Amino acid sequence: VLFRSVASAKLTTEQLKCDYLDLLLIHWPVAWENPTKAEDIANQTEFFFVDPATGGSKVVNIPIIDTWKAMEALVDEGLVKDIGVSNFTIEEVDSLLTQCRYKPVANQVEVHPGVPNDELRQYCQSKDIVMMSYKPYGIDGTNIDGGLLHNKEIKAIAEAAGLPSGAHLLLQWNCQKGNVALCKSTTAERIKMNADVPACGLSDEVMEKVAAFSKANKKRLSNPVSFRATKGPFLAD
C-alpha cells in the first residue's frame, strides 16, 4: 500500500509540475484491485468502479487504516501537505480518528438539498473537519438540464429571495451551512459568479423552504450500491 501511494503521489506531482500536493483524499472507504490489462488501464473509470452487474474491479480486504498510514507517510516525506477522506460515514471517520497520527482535514461527500447530510456535517464540524460538498447543483453526470438548479421549486425559492438563479441559491445554501462547495465551469462569467456567492445571508425563511424541499425530494446521485447498499452518506435517508 505504501509503495503504491508514494509512486502515485510522485507521478501526480510530476504530471502537475509541482513539488507537493496541497490535499490528497481517500476517494471511497473501500479498496479494490489495480488494473493490469491494457484495456482496463486505458479505461480506468469503468474498471475501478465496482459493479457486479457490469464487471469492473474486485473489492480487496485492505483495512482503511493501512491506506491512511501510507498517506501519513506521504505527509512525512513532504509529498502531501494535508490528507483527508471522501464518502466516509460518521462511524468510519470516528474509527479513523482513534487510530491516526494525522487526522483528516476534510471529508468530501455529495451535498445538495436532495441529500443534505446534516448529521454528518455536524459531526465533522464538531471534530474540526471541513465538509467538502460535490455535486452541489444536484446534477447527475452530464445531464445538466436535469439538475436541481433547474428545478421549478428551487428556482421559485431563489426568485422570491431576490437571487439571480437557482444555481446561486444552491451554492449559497451549501456555503451557509459551513460546507466548501465544489463546482466547476468553463464559462468565465459563471466562474466569477461562483466565486462571488456569499457564504451567508439567506434568511431563516429561505433556509426553511429549502429544508422542506429536502424532506420531500430525497435523492442521492452517487450511490455505489454494489458495495455500500445501506450505510449513509451513500443513501438519502
PDB file of all heavy atoms in Angstrom, residues 168 191-198:
ATOM      1  N   HIS A 168     -27.378  29.929  -7.885  1.00  0.00           N
ATOM      2  CA  HIS A 168     -26.899  30.820  -6.824  1.00  0.00           C
ATOM      3  C   HIS A 168     -27.450  30.371  -5.465  1.00  0.00           C
ATOM      4  O   HIS A 168     -26.715  30.302  -4.478  1.00  0.00           O
ATOM      5  CB  HIS A 168     -27.327  32.254  -7.129  1.00  0.00           C
ATOM      6  CG  HIS A 168     -26.741  33.279  -6.201  1.00  0.00           C
ATOM      7  ND1 HIS A 168     -25.869  34.244  -6.628  1.00  0.00           N
ATOM      8  CD2 HIS A 168     -26.901  33.481  -4.870  1.00  0.00           C
ATOM      9  CE1 HIS A 168     -25.515  35.010  -5.598  1.00  0.00           C
ATOM     10  NE2 HIS A 168     -26.149  34.555  -4.524  1.00  0.00           N
ATOM     11  N   ILE A 191     -17.832  31.264 -13.663  1.00  0.00           N
ATOM     12  CA  ILE A 191     -16.748  31.091 -12.701  1.00  0.00           C
ATOM     13  C   ILE A 191     -16.729  32.274 -11.743  1.00  0.00           C
ATOM     14  O   ILE A 191     -16.574  32.110 -10.522  1.00  0.00           O
ATOM     15  CB  ILE A 191     -15.390  30.954 -13.421  1.00  0.00           C
ATOM     16  CG1 ILE A 191     -15.348  29.635 -14.203  1.00  0.00           C
ATOM     17  CG2 ILE A 191     -14.237  31.024 -12.428  1.00  0.00           C
ATOM     18  CD1 ILE A 191     -14.133  29.479 -15.081  1.00  0.00           C
ATOM     19  N   LYS A 192     -16.883  33.478 -12.289  1.00  0.00           N
ATOM     20  CA  LYS A 192     -16.913  34.677 -11.454  1.00  0.00           C
ATOM     21  C   LYS A 192     -18.129  34.664 -10.526  1.00  0.00           C
ATOM     22  O   LYS A 192     -18.029  35.014  -9.345  1.00  0.00           O
ATOM     23  CB  LYS A 192     -16.936  35.938 -12.308  1.00  0.00           C
ATOM     24  CG  LYS A 192     -16.866  37.238 -11.494  1.00  0.00           C
ATOM     25  CD  LYS A 192     -16.850  38.452 -12.391  1.00  0.00           C
ATOM     26  CE  LYS A 192     -16.661  39.728 -11.560  1.00  0.00           C
ATOM     27  NZ  LYS A 192     -17.667  39.887 -10.500  1.00  0.00           N
ATOM     28  N   MET A 193     -19.281  34.232 -11.048  1.00  0.00           N
ATOM     29  CA  MET A 193     -20.492  34.167 -10.236  1.00  0.00           C
ATOM     30  C   MET A 193     -20.307  33.208  -9.068  1.00  0.00           C
ATOM     31  O   MET A 193     -20.660  33.505  -7.926  1.00  0.00           O
ATOM     32  CB  MET A 193     -21.679  33.709 -11.083  1.00  0.00           C
ATOM     33  CG  MET A 193     -23.008  33.685 -10.312  1.00  0.00           C
ATOM     34  SD  MET A 193     -24.210  32.483 -10.931  1.00  0.00           S
ATOM     35  CE  MET A 193     -23.563  30.953 -10.209  1.00  0.00           C
ATOM     36  N   ASN A 194     -19.707  32.043  -9.353  1.00  0.00           N
ATOM     37  CA  ASN A 194     -19.471  31.062  -8.290  1.00  0.00           C
ATOM     38  C   ASN A 194     -18.570  31.646  -7.205  1.00  0.00           C
ATOM     39  O   ASN A 194     -18.802  31.441  -6.005  1.00  0.00           O
ATOM     40  CB  ASN A 194     -18.829  29.804  -8.872  1.00  0.00           C
ATOM     41  CG  ASN A 194     -19.769  29.028  -9.776  1.00  0.00           C
ATOM     42  OD1 ASN A 194     -20.982  29.206  -9.715  1.00  0.00           O
ATOM     43  ND2 ASN A 194     -19.212  28.178 -10.618  1.00  0.00           N
ATOM     44  N   ALA A 195     -17.529  32.358  -7.619  1.00  0.00           N
ATOM     45  CA  ALA A 195     -16.577  32.929  -6.665  1.00  0.00           C
ATOM     46  C   ALA A 195     -17.208  34.045  -5.835  1.00  0.00           C
ATOM     47  O   ALA A 195     -16.798  34.278  -4.694  1.00  0.00           O
ATOM     48  CB  ALA A 195     -15.349  33.456  -7.399  1.00  0.00           C
ATOM     49  N   ASP A 196     -18.194  34.720  -6.402  1.00  0.00           N
ATOM     50  CA  ASP A 196     -18.810  35.865  -5.720  1.00  0.00           C
ATOM     51  C   ASP A 196     -19.978  35.493  -4.812  1.00  0.00           C
ATOM     52  O   ASP A 196     -20.506  36.349  -4.098  1.00  0.00           O
ATOM     53  CB  ASP A 196     -19.296  36.892  -6.757  1.00  0.00           C
ATOM     54  CG  ASP A 196     -18.147  37.599  -7.462  1.00  0.00           C
ATOM     55  OD1 ASP A 196     -17.020  37.570  -6.923  1.00  0.00           O
ATOM     56  OD2 ASP A 196     -18.366  38.169  -8.544  1.00  0.00           O
ATOM     57  N   VAL A 197     -20.401  34.243  -4.839  1.00  0.00           N
ATOM     58  CA  VAL A 197     -21.535  33.833  -3.996  1.00  0.00           C
ATOM     59  C   VAL A 197     -21.154  33.973  -2.527  1.00  0.00           C
ATOM     60  O   VAL A 197     -20.133  33.419  -2.086  1.00  0.00           O
ATOM     61  CB  VAL A 197     -21.953  32.379  -4.291  1.00  0.00           C
ATOM     62  CG1 VAL A 197     -22.933  31.876  -3.240  1.00  0.00           C
ATOM     63  CG2 VAL A 197     -22.578  32.286  -5.674  1.00  0.00           C
ATOM     64  N   PRO A 198     -21.926  34.705  -1.737  1.00  0.00           N
ATOM     65  CA  PRO A 198     -21.591  34.888  -0.315  1.00  0.00           C
ATOM     66  C   PRO A 198     -21.788  33.596   0.480  1.00  0.00           C
ATOM     67  O   PRO A 198     -22.582  32.734   0.102  1.00  0.00           O
ATOM     68  CB  PRO A 198     -22.562  35.977   0.141  1.00  0.00           C
ATOM     69  CG  PRO A 198     -23.718  35.871  -0.795  1.00  0.00           C
ATOM     70  CD  PRO A 198     -23.137  35.459  -2.118  1.00  0.00           C
TER      71      PRO A 198
END
